[in-house]
Amino acid sequence: MSSQIRAPKGVPEYVPPQSGRFLTVREALSTPARKAGYGYIELPVFEDTALFERGVGESTDVVSKEMYTFTDRGDRSISLRPEGTAGVMRSVLENGMHRGGLPVKLWYAGPFFRAERPQHGRYRQLQQVGVEAIGSDDPALDAEVVALADQAFRDVGLRDYTLHLNSLGCAQCRPGYSARLREFLAGCDLDEATLIRAQVNPLRVLDDKRPEVQDQVASAPLPVDDLCAECAHHYDETRRYLTDLGVSWQESPRLVRGLDYYTRTAFEFTHDGLGAQSGIGGGGRYDGLMSALGGPELSGIGFGLGVDRTLLAAEAEGLELADGAQVRCFCIPLGDDARHVTVGLLGRLRAAGVGADMAFDSRGLKGAMKAADRSGARFALIIGEEEIAARAVMVRDLLEGTQEPVPLDEVVDRMMGSAR
Ligand code: HAM
């Protein structure tokens, strides 16, 4: 016998009933954006590698170490998308969406791929729900995007999470700040790799979670203390709008995101029940990204919410999530004659929009009742010889434990009524 093939390492699978809860979470995470005027965008799962090198940044871990890159049959370098923002920007440009009304507001959902070391909550295929709002500097839009993420987590039912907020400055004030930080870091006692990182991308060192690095950078200059007047005003306004929206946050002046495109507003949501991989979502502004991809100078802001981690967070909080069971009636034929009547009834129930399933393979009443319970149905519709003779169906209410015969030609209407 040949050996069994298993799913690739670090790739989570969702099978019933867990997959139903996964869908419930994904739906809840995307609903606030849909209701706020964001249109759906379905993006390619793989893109030209250069898109991520230019968009996300060659020095980021995500691009330099974690991308699934391969040469296709036409000798092109292709990468599985590690994130969604760069692809959205490419698509907006390619489809000329930015020439219509601004901001362009889009949402997306699906799998992303990062060759990280797998652990609890850290996967190589991860699922996100994301939004991008392109073409506006308005701080009310920053607040909208942050508030939509907050609402999304609340709609799932989460309580034990924190919103961390920071501002990272812009193309005007960041270079001066980065130079000051580089100078500070050069005088610190850091290991070789961190010193190199301090030169290439000094902001990342601020966010290094290792205690020995945190000690060293405790007195480092912070981005918020070095903002230009426009950035400082933008950050103040963003926070005022967040207050208007009733969102609470924690100032996190060392928060730096793992992707290179961020400017000004940066935010992250962390959950207390997840251990090391506590980030359930994050995002920020990326005012230079569009022009870096060859487009006009259009700013933007967005977020990516981790569906896998939100599901883990919901489980950690003990939330009861609907598993999306759709079957309302479970039809049970007893005997060969009943099977044709049952199949006909099943077809009529489904055509009328009533969720319905049936017991296959003639397993007898006991096995069929077990299957009815597993299906999540409210009613078992039993058809035996007696029922056929009386042109009736025995309708058993699985919740109340009661049953009554209903005429065969009335049962669909009855089930439609009970579905309401
Ligand atoms: P990100 O912070 O890299 O941002 O990812 C967003 C969320 O995806 C994280 O907060 C986390 O919940 C989830 N996530 C990331 N990596 C993994 C993983 N290996 N396993 C499980 N979950 C993971 C972005 O991707 C940006 N594109 C977000 C954005 C949109 N910024 C602006 N617009």
Side-chain angles (χ1 to χ4, degrees), residues 62 82-86 108 112 114 116 121-128 130-132 257-259 261-262 268-269 277-286 301-310:
V62 168
E83 62 96 55
T85 312
Y108 51 90
F112 298 88
R114 299 182 188 179
E116 298 195 77
R122 187 164 71 193
Y123 306 124
R124 293 183 169 174
Q125 175 174 305
L126 57 120
Q127 302 270 348
Q128 285 185 9
V131 309
E132 312 294 347
R257 307 259 310 130
L259 314 169
Y261 47 62
Y262 291 109
E268 229 156 60
F269 290 82
Q277 304 305 314
S278 61
I280 52 173
R285 203 164 249 294
Y286 41 81
I301 176 157
F303 63 61
L305 311 182
V307 184
D308 315 271
R309 287 189 194 167
T310 305

Short mmCIF file of all heavy atoms in Angstrom, two decimals, residues 62 82-86 108 112 114 116 121-128 130-132 257-259 261-262 268-269 277-286 301-310, ligand 1:
data_model
loop_
_atom_site.label_atom_id
_atom_site.label_comp_id
_atom_site.label_asym_id
_atom_site.label_seq_id
_atom_site.Cartn_x
_atom_site.Cartn_y
_atom_site.Cartn_z
N VAL A 62 8.90 39.36 5.40
CA VAL A 62 7.83 38.76 4.60
C VAL A 62 8.31 38.52 3.17
O VAL A 62 8.07 37.46 2.60
CB VAL A 62 6.58 39.68 4.61
CG1 VAL A 62 5.56 39.26 3.57
CG2 VAL A 62 5.95 39.69 5.99
N PRO A 82 1.82 37.21 -0.28
CA PRO A 82 2.00 37.13 1.17
C PRO A 82 1.04 38.07 1.91
O PRO A 82 0.86 37.96 3.12
CB PRO A 82 3.45 37.60 1.38
CG PRO A 82 3.72 38.51 0.23
CD PRO A 82 2.87 38.04 -0.92
N GLU A 83 0.45 39.01 1.17
CA GLU A 83 -0.50 39.98 1.76
C GLU A 83 -1.31 40.59 0.62
O GLU A 83 -1.05 40.28 -0.56
CB GLU A 83 0.27 41.05 2.55
CG GLU A 83 1.23 41.89 1.74
CD GLU A 83 0.63 43.20 1.30
OE1 GLU A 83 0.17 43.95 2.16
OE2 GLU A 83 0.63 43.47 0.08
N GLY A 84 -2.30 41.43 0.96
CA GLY A 84 -3.24 41.87 -0.07
C GLY A 84 -3.09 43.30 -0.57
O GLY A 84 -3.59 43.63 -1.65
N THR A 85 -2.41 44.15 0.20
CA THR A 85 -2.43 45.58 -0.13
C THR A 85 -1.77 45.88 -1.48
O THR A 85 -2.31 46.64 -2.29
CB THR A 85 -1.74 46.38 1.00
OG1 THR A 85 -2.28 45.92 2.24
CG2 THR A 85 -1.98 47.87 0.85
N ALA A 86 -0.60 45.28 -1.72
CA ALA A 86 0.11 45.56 -2.97
C ALA A 86 -0.73 45.12 -4.17
O ALA A 86 -0.81 45.84 -5.19
CB ALA A 86 1.46 44.85 -2.97
N TYR A 108 -11.60 42.64 0.69
CA TYR A 108 -11.24 41.34 0.10
C TYR A 108 -11.13 40.31 1.22
O TYR A 108 -11.04 40.66 2.40
CB TYR A 108 -9.90 41.44 -0.66
CG TYR A 108 -8.77 42.06 0.15
CD1 TYR A 108 -7.93 41.28 0.94
CD2 TYR A 108 -8.56 43.44 0.13
CE1 TYR A 108 -6.91 41.84 1.68
CE2 TYR A 108 -7.54 44.02 0.87
CZ TYR A 108 -6.72 43.22 1.64
OH TYR A 108 -5.71 43.79 2.39
N PHE A 112 -3.51 33.85 2.18
CA PHE A 112 -2.21 34.48 1.91
C PHE A 112 -1.15 33.48 2.38
O PHE A 112 -1.45 32.58 3.17
CB PHE A 112 -2.11 35.82 2.64
CG PHE A 112 -3.16 36.79 2.15
CD1 PHE A 112 -4.42 36.82 2.73
CD2 PHE A 112 -2.91 37.61 1.06
CE1 PHE A 112 -5.41 37.67 2.23
CE2 PHE A 112 -3.89 38.46 0.55
CZ PHE A 112 -5.14 38.49 1.15
N ARG A 114 2.83 32.62 3.68
CA ARG A 114 4.11 33.06 4.24
C ARG A 114 4.82 31.83 4.80
O ARG A 114 4.25 31.12 5.64
CB ARG A 114 3.90 34.08 5.38
CG ARG A 114 3.19 35.34 4.90
CD ARG A 114 3.03 36.36 6.01
NE ARG A 114 2.18 37.46 5.55
CZ ARG A 114 1.82 38.51 6.28
NH1 ARG A 114 2.25 38.61 7.53
NH2 ARG A 114 1.05 39.45 5.79
N GLU A 116 6.55 30.88 7.18
CA GLU A 116 7.02 31.13 8.54
C GLU A 116 7.17 29.80 9.25
O GLU A 116 6.65 28.78 8.81
CB GLU A 116 6.00 31.98 9.29
CG GLU A 116 5.79 33.34 8.67
CD GLU A 116 5.06 34.29 9.61
OE1 GLU A 116 5.71 34.80 10.53
OE2 GLU A 116 3.86 34.51 9.40
N GLY A 121 -1.32 29.38 15.92
CA GLY A 121 -1.73 30.70 15.41
C GLY A 121 -0.80 31.29 14.37
O GLY A 121 -1.01 32.41 13.93
N ARG A 122 0.24 30.56 14.00
CA ARG A 122 1.12 31.07 12.92
C ARG A 122 1.19 30.01 11.83
O ARG A 122 1.74 28.94 12.04
CB ARG A 122 2.51 31.40 13.44
CG ARG A 122 3.35 32.08 12.34
CD ARG A 122 4.56 32.76 12.90
NE ARG A 122 5.54 31.78 13.34
CZ ARG A 122 6.59 32.05 14.11
NH1 ARG A 122 6.79 33.28 14.53
NH2 ARG A 122 7.44 31.11 14.44
N TYR A 123 0.62 30.35 10.69
CA TYR A 123 0.44 29.37 9.63
C TYR A 123 1.13 29.80 8.35
O TYR A 123 1.43 30.96 8.15
CB TYR A 123 -1.06 29.16 9.36
CG TYR A 123 -1.83 28.80 10.60
CD1 TYR A 123 -2.91 29.56 11.01
CD2 TYR A 123 -1.44 27.71 11.37
CE1 TYR A 123 -3.62 29.24 12.16
CE2 TYR A 123 -2.13 27.37 12.52
CZ TYR A 123 -3.22 28.14 12.92
OH TYR A 123 -3.90 27.81 14.05
N ARG A 124 1.32 28.83 7.47
CA ARG A 124 1.92 29.14 6.17
C ARG A 124 0.87 29.52 5.15
O ARG A 124 1.17 30.15 4.16
CB ARG A 124 2.76 27.95 5.70
CG ARG A 124 3.95 27.77 6.61
CD ARG A 124 4.86 26.67 6.19
NE ARG A 124 6.08 26.77 6.97
CZ ARG A 124 7.07 25.89 6.92
NH1 ARG A 124 6.96 24.83 6.13
NH2 ARG A 124 8.14 26.07 7.65
N GLN A 125 -0.33 29.06 5.38
CA GLN A 125 -1.47 29.60 4.62
C GLN A 125 -2.38 30.23 5.65
O GLN A 125 -2.90 29.55 6.53
CB GLN A 125 -2.20 28.50 3.86
CG GLN A 125 -3.44 29.03 3.16
CD GLN A 125 -4.12 28.00 2.28
OE1 GLN A 125 -3.51 27.43 1.41
NE2 GLN A 125 -5.40 27.76 2.51
N LEU A 126 -2.51 31.56 5.56
CA LEU A 126 -3.30 32.27 6.56
C LEU A 126 -4.44 32.98 5.84
O LEU A 126 -4.34 33.29 4.66
CB LEU A 126 -2.43 33.29 7.28
CG LEU A 126 -1.74 34.31 6.37
CD1 LEU A 126 -2.15 35.72 6.72
CD2 LEU A 126 -0.24 34.14 6.47
N GLN A 127 -5.52 33.17 6.57
CA GLN A 127 -6.70 33.79 5.96
C GLN A 127 -6.91 35.18 6.54
O GLN A 127 -6.84 35.36 7.75
CB GLN A 127 -7.93 32.93 6.25
CG GLN A 127 -7.83 31.51 5.76
CD GLN A 127 -8.34 31.33 4.34
OE1 GLN A 127 -8.98 32.21 3.77
NE2 GLN A 127 -8.07 30.16 3.77
N GLN A 128 -7.15 36.12 5.64
CA GLN A 128 -7.43 37.49 6.10
C GLN A 128 -8.73 38.00 5.48
O GLN A 128 -9.11 37.59 4.39
CB GLN A 128 -6.33 38.46 5.63
CG GLN A 128 -5.03 38.38 6.38
CD GLN A 128 -4.05 39.47 5.90
OE1 GLN A 128 -4.40 40.36 5.15
NE2 GLN A 128 -2.81 39.36 6.37
N GLY A 130 -9.62 41.89 4.51
CA GLY A 130 -8.93 43.18 4.48
C GLY A 130 -9.76 44.26 3.81
O GLY A 130 -10.71 43.97 3.08
N VAL A 131 -9.41 45.51 4.12
CA VAL A 131 -10.00 46.64 3.38
C VAL A 131 -8.87 47.57 2.97
O VAL A 131 -7.82 47.62 3.62
CB VAL A 131 -11.03 47.46 4.21
CG1 VAL A 131 -12.07 46.57 4.85
CG2 VAL A 131 -10.35 48.33 5.25
N GLU A 132 -9.09 48.30 1.89
CA GLU A 132 -8.19 49.37 1.48
C GLU A 132 -9.06 50.54 1.03
O GLU A 132 -10.03 50.35 0.29
CB GLU A 132 -7.27 48.94 0.31
CG GLU A 132 -6.58 47.58 0.47
CD GLU A 132 -5.56 47.49 1.60
OE1 GLU A 132 -5.16 48.54 2.15
OE2 GLU A 132 -5.18 46.36 1.97
N ARG A 257 5.10 48.39 12.07
CA ARG A 257 4.54 47.23 11.38
C ARG A 257 5.61 46.52 10.57
O ARG A 257 6.64 47.10 10.22
CB ARG A 257 3.39 47.71 10.51
CG ARG A 257 2.36 48.52 11.32
CD ARG A 257 1.16 47.74 11.70
NE ARG A 257 0.60 47.07 10.56
CZ ARG A 257 0.29 45.77 10.56
NH1 ARG A 257 0.48 45.04 11.63
NH2 ARG A 257 -0.21 45.23 9.48
N GLY A 258 5.37 45.25 10.25
CA GLY A 258 6.38 44.42 9.58
C GLY A 258 6.53 44.67 8.08
O GLY A 258 7.39 44.07 7.45
N LEU A 259 5.70 45.52 7.51
CA LEU A 259 5.78 45.76 6.07
C LEU A 259 6.26 47.20 5.87
O LEU A 259 5.94 48.08 6.67
CB LEU A 259 4.40 45.54 5.42
CG LEU A 259 3.69 44.25 5.90
CD1 LEU A 259 2.24 44.21 5.46
CD2 LEU A 259 4.43 43.01 5.41
N TYR A 261 5.64 49.67 3.74
CA TYR A 261 4.94 50.78 3.11
C TYR A 261 4.25 51.76 4.05
O TYR A 261 3.69 52.74 3.62
CB TYR A 261 3.92 50.26 2.07
CG TYR A 261 3.02 49.11 2.49
CD1 TYR A 261 2.12 49.22 3.53
CD2 TYR A 261 3.07 47.91 1.78
CE1 TYR A 261 1.29 48.17 3.88
CE2 TYR A 261 2.22 46.85 2.11
CZ TYR A 261 1.34 46.99 3.16
OH TYR A 261 0.52 45.94 3.50
N TYR A 262 4.29 51.51 5.36
CA TYR A 262 3.47 52.33 6.25
C TYR A 262 4.00 53.74 6.47
O TYR A 262 5.20 53.97 6.59
CB TYR A 262 3.29 51.64 7.60
CG TYR A 262 2.42 50.41 7.49
CD1 TYR A 262 2.95 49.14 7.60
CD2 TYR A 262 1.06 50.53 7.22
CE1 TYR A 262 2.16 48.02 7.47
CE2 TYR A 262 0.26 49.41 7.08
CZ TYR A 262 0.81 48.16 7.21
OH TYR A 262 0.02 47.06 7.07
N GLU A 268 -2.56 48.08 15.46
CA GLU A 268 -2.59 46.64 15.59
C GLU A 268 -3.58 46.27 16.69
O GLU A 268 -3.69 46.99 17.67
CB GLU A 268 -1.19 46.14 15.97
CG GLU A 268 -0.72 45.00 15.12
CD GLU A 268 0.80 44.90 15.10
OE1 GLU A 268 1.38 44.72 16.18
OE2 GLU A 268 1.38 45.00 14.01
N PHE A 269 -4.27 45.16 16.50
CA PHE A 269 -5.15 44.63 17.54
C PHE A 269 -4.49 43.37 18.10
O PHE A 269 -4.11 42.49 17.32
CB PHE A 269 -6.51 44.25 16.96
CG PHE A 269 -7.35 45.43 16.54
CD1 PHE A 269 -7.13 46.04 15.30
CD2 PHE A 269 -8.33 45.95 17.36
CE1 PHE A 269 -7.90 47.14 14.90
CE2 PHE A 269 -9.10 47.04 16.98
CZ PHE A 269 -8.89 47.63 15.74
N GLN A 277 1.54 34.59 19.40
CA GLN A 277 0.99 35.14 18.15
C GLN A 277 -0.29 35.90 18.46
O GLN A 277 -1.39 35.48 18.11
CB GLN A 277 0.72 34.01 17.14
CG GLN A 277 1.93 33.16 16.83
CD GLN A 277 3.10 34.01 16.35
OE1 GLN A 277 2.95 34.88 15.51
NE2 GLN A 277 4.27 33.76 16.90
N SER A 278 -0.14 37.04 19.14
CA SER A 278 -1.32 37.72 19.68
C SER A 278 -1.97 38.68 18.69
O SER A 278 -3.06 39.17 18.95
CB SER A 278 -0.94 38.47 20.95
OG SER A 278 0.03 39.45 20.64
N GLY A 279 -1.32 38.96 17.56
CA GLY A 279 -1.87 39.95 16.61
C GLY A 279 -3.05 39.39 15.84
O GLY A 279 -2.91 38.47 15.04
N ILE A 280 -4.24 39.92 16.11
CA ILE A 280 -5.42 39.42 15.39
C ILE A 280 -5.74 40.30 14.18
O ILE A 280 -6.57 39.94 13.35
CB ILE A 280 -6.66 39.29 16.31
CG1 ILE A 280 -6.92 40.59 17.09
CG2 ILE A 280 -6.49 38.11 17.26
CD1 ILE A 280 -8.23 40.57 17.88
N GLY A 281 -5.08 41.44 14.07
CA GLY A 281 -5.31 42.28 12.90
C GLY A 281 -4.44 43.52 12.98
O GLY A 281 -3.99 43.89 14.06
N GLY A 282 -4.19 44.12 11.83
CA GLY A 282 -3.38 45.33 11.85
C GLY A 282 -3.45 46.03 10.52
O GLY A 282 -3.95 45.50 9.53
N GLY A 283 -2.96 47.26 10.53
CA GLY A 283 -2.98 48.01 9.28
C GLY A 283 -2.40 49.39 9.47
O GLY A 283 -1.72 49.67 10.46
N GLY A 284 -2.70 50.26 8.53
CA GLY A 284 -2.20 51.61 8.61
C GLY A 284 -2.25 52.30 7.26
O GLY A 284 -2.78 51.76 6.28
N ARG A 285 -1.67 53.51 7.27
CA ARG A 285 -1.64 54.34 6.07
C ARG A 285 -0.40 54.00 5.26
O ARG A 285 0.62 53.60 5.82
CB ARG A 285 -1.61 55.80 6.56
CG ARG A 285 -2.09 56.79 5.59
CD ARG A 285 -2.39 58.12 6.24
NE ARG A 285 -3.82 58.36 6.21
CZ ARG A 285 -4.54 58.56 5.11
NH1 ARG A 285 -3.97 58.54 3.92
NH2 ARG A 285 -5.83 58.77 5.18
N TYR A 286 -0.49 54.16 3.95
CA TYR A 286 0.66 53.84 3.08
C TYR A 286 0.70 54.85 1.94
O TYR A 286 0.40 54.55 0.81
CB TYR A 286 0.55 52.40 2.55
CG TYR A 286 -0.85 51.99 2.14
CD1 TYR A 286 -1.36 52.36 0.89
CD2 TYR A 286 -1.67 51.28 3.00
CE1 TYR A 286 -2.65 52.01 0.51
CE2 TYR A 286 -2.96 50.93 2.64
CZ TYR A 286 -3.44 51.30 1.39
OH TYR A 286 -4.71 50.97 1.03
N ILE A 301 -5.18 53.88 3.06
CA ILE A 301 -5.14 53.26 4.39
C ILE A 301 -5.98 52.00 4.37
O ILE A 301 -6.97 51.92 3.64
CB ILE A 301 -5.61 54.23 5.51
CG1 ILE A 301 -5.64 53.53 6.87
CG2 ILE A 301 -6.98 54.86 5.20
CD1 ILE A 301 -5.56 54.43 8.06
N GLY A 302 -5.55 51.00 5.14
CA GLY A 302 -6.32 49.76 5.17
C GLY A 302 -5.94 48.88 6.34
O GLY A 302 -5.13 49.28 7.19
N PHE A 303 -6.55 47.71 6.38
CA PHE A 303 -6.19 46.73 7.41
C PHE A 303 -6.29 45.32 6.87
O PHE A 303 -6.94 45.07 5.84
CB PHE A 303 -7.04 46.88 8.67
CG PHE A 303 -8.54 46.64 8.51
CD1 PHE A 303 -9.05 45.41 8.08
CD2 PHE A 303 -9.45 47.64 8.84
CE1 PHE A 303 -10.42 45.18 7.97
CE2 PHE A 303 -10.84 47.43 8.72
CZ PHE A 303 -11.31 46.20 8.28
N GLY A 304 -5.65 44.39 7.58
CA GLY A 304 -5.83 42.96 7.34
C GLY A 304 -6.18 42.33 8.68
O GLY A 304 -5.45 42.53 9.66
N LEU A 305 -7.30 41.61 8.74
CA LEU A 305 -7.69 40.94 9.98
C LEU A 305 -7.49 39.44 9.80
O LEU A 305 -7.89 38.87 8.78
CB LEU A 305 -9.17 41.24 10.31
CG LEU A 305 -9.60 42.70 10.25
CD1 LEU A 305 -11.07 42.84 10.64
CD2 LEU A 305 -8.73 43.58 11.14
N GLY A 306 -6.84 38.83 10.77
CA GLY A 306 -6.54 37.40 10.65
C GLY A 306 -7.76 36.57 11.04
O GLY A 306 -8.19 36.60 12.19
N VAL A 307 -8.29 35.83 10.07
CA VAL A 307 -9.50 35.03 10.36
C VAL A 307 -9.14 33.84 11.25
O VAL A 307 -9.84 33.54 12.22
CB VAL A 307 -10.16 34.54 9.05
CG1 VAL A 307 -11.47 33.80 9.36
CG2 VAL A 307 -10.43 35.70 8.11
N ASP A 308 -8.00 33.18 10.96
CA ASP A 308 -7.61 32.02 11.76
C ASP A 308 -7.44 32.41 13.23
O ASP A 308 -7.94 31.74 14.14
CB ASP A 308 -6.27 31.44 11.28
CG ASP A 308 -6.17 31.32 9.77
OD1 ASP A 308 -6.56 30.28 9.23
OD2 ASP A 308 -5.71 32.29 9.13
N ARG A 309 -6.71 33.52 13.43
CA ARG A 309 -6.44 33.93 14.82
C ARG A 309 -7.69 34.45 15.51
O ARG A 309 -7.84 34.29 16.72
CB ARG A 309 -5.35 35.00 14.84
CG ARG A 309 -3.99 34.40 14.54
CD ARG A 309 -2.90 35.40 14.77
NE ARG A 309 -1.66 34.93 14.17
CZ ARG A 309 -0.60 35.68 14.00
NH1 ARG A 309 -0.61 36.94 14.39
NH2 ARG A 309 0.49 35.18 13.45
N THR A 310 -8.59 35.09 14.76
CA THR A 310 -9.83 35.56 15.38
C THR A 310 -10.66 34.37 15.86
O THR A 310 -11.26 34.41 16.94
CB THR A 310 -10.64 36.43 14.39
OG1 THR A 310 -9.79 37.48 13.94
CG2 THR A 310 -11.87 37.03 15.04
P1 HAM B 1 -0.13 41.87 8.63
O1 HAM B 1 -0.01 42.49 9.99
O2 HAM B 1 1.10 41.29 8.05
O3 HAM B 1 -0.72 43.00 7.67
O4 HAM B 1 -1.25 40.76 8.67
C1 HAM B 1 -2.55 41.05 9.15
C2 HAM B 1 -3.05 39.96 10.07
O5 HAM B 1 -2.98 38.69 9.42
C3 HAM B 1 -2.24 39.78 11.33
O6 HAM B 1 -2.62 40.69 12.33
C4 HAM B 1 -2.58 38.34 11.73
O7 HAM B 1 -3.81 38.32 12.43
C5 HAM B 1 -2.77 37.68 10.39
N1 HAM B 1 -1.55 36.92 10.06
C6 HAM B 1 -0.40 37.38 9.51
N2 HAM B 1 0.49 36.39 9.37
C7 HAM B 1 -0.08 35.26 9.85
C8 HAM B 1 0.31 33.89 9.98
N3 HAM B 1 1.50 33.45 9.57
N4 HAM B 1 -0.57 33.00 10.51
C9 HAM B 1 -1.81 33.40 10.91
N5 HAM B 1 -2.24 34.68 10.81
C10 HAM B 1 -1.40 35.60 10.30
C11 HAM B 1 -0.95 42.84 6.35
O8 HAM B 1 -0.93 41.79 5.77
C12 HAM B 1 -1.33 44.12 5.65
N6 HAM B 1 -1.56 43.85 4.23
C13 HAM B 1 -2.56 44.75 6.30
C14 HAM B 1 -2.91 46.04 5.67
C15 HAM B 1 -3.87 46.27 4.76
N7 HAM B 1 -2.28 47.19 5.88
C16 HAM B 1 -2.85 48.13 5.11
N8 HAM B 1 -3.80 47.58 4.42
#
